[in-house]
Amino acid sequence: MKIEQIYTGCLAQGAYYIKSDGEVAIIDPLRETQQYVDKANNENAKIKYIFETHFHADFVSGHVDLAKKTGAKIIFGPGAKTNYDIHSAKDNEEFKLGKITIKVLHTPGHTLESSTFLLIDENGKDHAIFSGDTLFLGDVGRPDLAIKSDLTKEDLAGMLYDSLRNKIMSLPDDVIVYPAHGAGSACGKNLSKETVGILGEQKKTNYALRADMTKEEFVKEVLDGITPPPQYFAKNAMMNKSGYDAFETVLKKGDNPLSPEEFEALANQVDALVLDVRHEKEFIKAHIPNSIFIGIHGAFAPWVGALITDLKQPILLVTPEGKEKETVTRLSRVGYDNTLGYLKGGMASWISAGKEIETIDSISADEFSGHFKNETINVLDVRKDGEYKSEYLEGNSIQHFALDYINENMHAIDKNNTYYVHCAGGYRSVIAVSILKARGFNNLIDVAGGFAAIKQGDLPTTNFVCPSTL
């Protein structure tokens, strides 16, 4: 028996490759599926099943493509309905894979069809669970993503409580836990950085698995502090239910080199969004007018999903050399399938062609400190709510809204005023400035290094409060 976790840091997501006696099951595959086919072929094995723990909202799964390539059966939990062929399993239904068995444990709460897959080894011993978004290490899945007219998030949280107590906590302590996500995912509040754990340890340390916890206490604690889900979650879930274009088709369309003249003409013709994924320092020095910055070196896909509201938006790319296919791939993972090409030769070719460029005013934290002390300035903090409440600059001119919700908060700032924009370290502030500039806010100054650099100086800040106590 072989179990391999294939972890994707950008999505904080774990897919699983399980093999026994020449047969393979894939759990929650990534959008690009050829890697699983190649791995099975190299091991003289056949992909028999594709298990989906639930309808994912934070990424587009590769289950539909993989089934077409391999003939493998897609298995969802009870009640799942799709626009393509699946097997909607019964609770406790078992599937043979070589010498092992995978048993479906229906664990609704995160979503109604959510299921945990129990791996029973060839000796009949409960060996591991693939818990999807039902159980994370240190946390559990948010219960507010599958609300119907007759169900509230409180109802779903109550279902999750029952699922955890009746289906998971009753399993032996030595069962291995393989969750769908780790730290960085928006599918939970306080996920561990670890990506594999032991159930007995979770029973001791996970707040949601306290033995003496009542259902009322569970519902209150699970719902406490949940922020609204990113706007793309519902759209990705619908793609996972309805199906989507083949990944290879999306990649071929996006892997299209364009000269500066072709790039500019196409951008104007189809009203394309120019997405620049280079490092923020490069974007600050020179970028195409009205382009948006989201650096591929950061949490790229989740920020794209949070900030670009239309999944069908035509996109043209400015990338570091050699990162073109990777960028198209990572966009497709969150459902942005309408990339039309990239600037051949990058910004160097744009500049060589004599095309117009723009820059961003960016100053050091020391320079910012001088302005803050000696002038009356407007400061815009775009960190997350929890970061801001934990510690922030003191002053009447400080304004805050999280980058996540910039599209809803532009009315709160004045185009006639100058704003000094900062985040925690300098990545998100440049995203914010790029978006605001594209919307006509021209009086913006980026604070390099963000709050981490600012608080090294002597400017007044609030006393630090641990986010977990807020």
Side-chain angles (χ1 to χ4, degrees):
M1 179 178 67
K2 173 183 179 179
I3 301 173
E4 182 177 348
Q5 182 185 68
I6 302 171
Y7 198 79
T8 304
C10 180
L11 297 171
Q13 187 265 343
Y16 295 93
Y17 177 97
I18 306 164
K19 186 183 72 169
S20 175
D21 202 25
E23 295 184 335
V24 171
I26 307 293
I27 297 179
D28 295 339
L30 277 179
R31 181 77 183 271
E32 61 274 24
T33 58
Q34 191 59 40
Q35 58 183 318
Y36 310 115
V37 177
D38 293 343
K39 184 183 291 290
N41 288 341
N42 291 338
E43 297 180 357
N44 295 316
K46 178 178 175 57
I47 298 177
K48 185 178 182 181
Y49 296 119
I50 304 159
F51 290 96
E52 289 284 291
T53 54
H54 62 293
F55 290 121
H56 302 283
D58 59 310
F59 72 102
V60 178
S61 179
H63 56 303
V64 176
D65 273 355
L66 189 56
K68 290 177 180 176
K69 288 180 179 179
T70 63
K73 177 65 72 175
I74 300 172
I75 311 296
F76 273 96
K81 295 180 181 179
T82 64
N83 292 353
Y84 48 86
D85 185 40
I86 65 166
H87 178 85
S88 183
K90 298 181 178 64
D91 190 25
N92 295 316
E93 187 172 351
E94 296 183 350
F95 298 85
K96 292 294 182 182
L97 186 77
K99 296 179 180 177
I100 66 175
T101 301
I102 295 179
K103 184 176 182 178
V104 178
L105 306 179
H106 188 208
T107 49
H110 175 65
T111 63
L112 291 176
E113 79 290 338
S114 281
S115 295
T116 295
F117 301 120
L118 172 64
L119 190 155
I120 303 169
D121 68 19
E122 58 188 87
N123 298 314
K125 182 180 183 300
D126 294 343
H127 177 79
I129 53 171
F130 301 87
S131 54
D133 286 22
T134 296
L135 175 64
F136 300 127
L137 303 185
D139 204 352
V140 292
R142 55 190 301 163
D144 63 334
L145 300 182
I147 298 174
K148 292 188 174 182
S149 59
D150 57 342
L151 287 175
T152 65
K153 58 188 177 183
E154 288 79 13
D155 293 331
L156 287 161
M159 291 182 186
L160 184 58
Y161 176 89
D162 292 335
S163 293
L164 291 165
R165 265 81 190 157
N166 299 334
K167 297 293 183 69
I168 291 180
M169 292 178 68
S170 58
L171 295 170
D173 285 356
D174 62 352
V175 165
I176 302 169
V177 179
Y178 292 106
H181 295 289
S185 170
C187 294
K189 294 184 295 184
N190 297 298
L191 285 70
S192 169
K193 292 180 180 179
E194 301 299 320
T195 62
V196 180
I198 302 296
L199 183 56
E201 184 64 21
Q202 287 304 300
K203 291 178 183 178
K204 294 177 183 177
T205 61
N206 191 320
Y207 77 96
L209 302 189
R210 293 200 312 268
D212 61 348
M213 193 180 216
T214 66
K215 182 180 289 190
E216 290 72 22
E217 290 171 333
F218 177 89
V219 170
K220 183 177 184 298
E221 291 189 38
V222 166
L223 295 178
D224 183 49
I226 288 184
T227 58
Q231 62 86 27
Y232 73 106
F233 269 28
K235 300 168 186 176
N236 276 199
M238 185 56 64
M239 287 180 71
N240 284 318
K241 290 182 181 182
S242 302
Y244 43 75
D245 291 338
F247 167 73
E248 285 77 11
T249 302
V250 174
L251 181 59
K252 183 178 180 180
K253 180 173 69 173
D255 188 21
N256 176 31
L258 299 166
S259 70
E261 291 73 23
E262 292 170 328
F263 188 95
E264 186 174 41
L266 187 56
N268 292 329
Q269 179 184 341
V270 300
D271 196 23
L273 171 69
V274 177
L275 179 62
D276 193 321
V277 306
R278 297 172 299 147
H279 195 279
E280 59 264 26
K281 292 181 179 178
E282 295 176 297
F283 186 85
I284 285 169
K285 291 177 182 177
H287 59 268
I288 295 172
N290 295 319
S291 59
I292 301 300
F293 164 78
I294 305 178
I296 199 169
H297 64 284
F300 175 69
W303 280 122
V304 168
L307 299 171
I308 302 176
T309 56
D310 183 3
L311 265 63
K312 296 181 180 180
Q313 168 69 52
I315 295 173
L316 291 171
L317 298 173
V318 180
T319 77
E321 188 175 357
K323 293 289 187 179
E324 299 86 3
K325 289 184 179 180
E326 178 186 340
T327 306
V328 177
T329 297
R330 290 171 67 174
L331 284 168
S332 76
R333 289 175 182 167
V334 283
Y336 294 83
D337 289 357
N338 201 15
T339 302
L340 304 180
Y342 62 88
L343 180 60
K344 185 179 181 181
M347 277 303 297
S349 70
W350 185 265
I351 294 170
S352 295
K355 300 293 185 182
E356 182 183 357
I357 65 167
E358 287 189 357
T359 62
I360 289 175
D361 290 333
S362 184
I363 62 173
S364 69
D366 287 341
E367 291 175 279
F368 169 75
S369 178
H371 290 293
F372 191 87
K373 291 175 181 176
N374 300 313
E375 307 168 30
T376 300
I377 62 173
N378 299 296
V379 180
L380 179 58
D381 183 335
V382 296
R383 294 175 298 158
K384 290 183 179 294
D385 291 348
E387 294 174 283
Y388 177 77
K389 292 175 182 177
S390 177
E391 188 177 14
Y392 55 88
L393 271 172
E394 292 184 320
N396 294 329
S397 61
I398 311 298
Q399 216 169 329
H400 166 262
F401 55 74
L403 173 62
D404 311 54
Y405 310 114
I406 191 170
N407 291 311
E408 295 82 13
N409 283 286
M410 288 186 192
H411 66 278
I413 57 177
D414 189 340
K415 289 183 178 180
N416 296 315
N417 292 338
T418 297
Y419 291 87
Y420 292 76
V421 185
H422 79 81
C423 59
Y427 175 80
R428 286 173 288 174
S429 60
V430 179
I431 297 177
V433 169
S434 75
I435 293 172
L436 291 171
K437 279 190 68 176
R439 301 286 183 86
F441 292 82
N442 295 313
N443 305 315
L444 304 167
I445 301 170
D446 171 65
V447 182
F451 191 73
I454 291 170
K455 70 179 182 179
Q456 296 304 311
D458 59 355
L459 293 182
T461 62
T462 60
N463 293 326
F464 176 78
V465 178
C466 180
S468 64
T469 65
L470 292 171

